[in-house]
Amino acid sequence: MLDDEFNKQRAKVLRDLAEQADPFIRRRLLRLVERYEPNRRPAPDDQQLVRSRDGADR
C-alpha cells in the first residue's frame, strides 16, 4: 500500500515538472510517469500537455 501511494505522489511530481519543462524533457518525464503508474492509461491532460507545449501529436 505504501508503494502505491509513493508511486502516485511521484507521478504527480513528475507531471508538475513536465508542465514547466521544454518539449524534449517533457516527453521524457511523461514516459517516466508511465513507469510509476504502469496500469494507468495516459490521461487526456497528459496528452494535451504534450501537444500544447511542443505542437506535436504524440
Side-chain angles (χ1 to χ4, degrees), residues 1-54:
M1 281 238 180
L2 291 175
D3 289 338
D4 291 337
E5 187 63 30
F6 173 81
N7 289 342
K8 288 178 186 178
Q9 290 175 358
R10 185 58 55 165
K12 181 183 179 332
V13 168
L14 292 171
R15 272 192 231 97
D16 292 343
L17 287 171
E19 289 180 13
Q20 301 172 12
D22 65 83
F24 176 75
I25 299 298
R26 180 175 307 105
R27 284 190 298 269
R28 294 189 66 173
L29 288 171
L30 292 175
R31 284 187 201 131
L32 187 56
V33 167
E34 293 173 2
R35 291 185 183 182
Y36 284 103
E37 294 181 336
N39 296 329
R40 178 184 169 269
R41 295 176 110 177
D45 293 339
D46 292 347
Q47 294 299 325
Q48 186 176 8
L49 177 66
V50 171
R51 284 187 211 122
S52 68
R53 295 292 179 112
D54 67 4

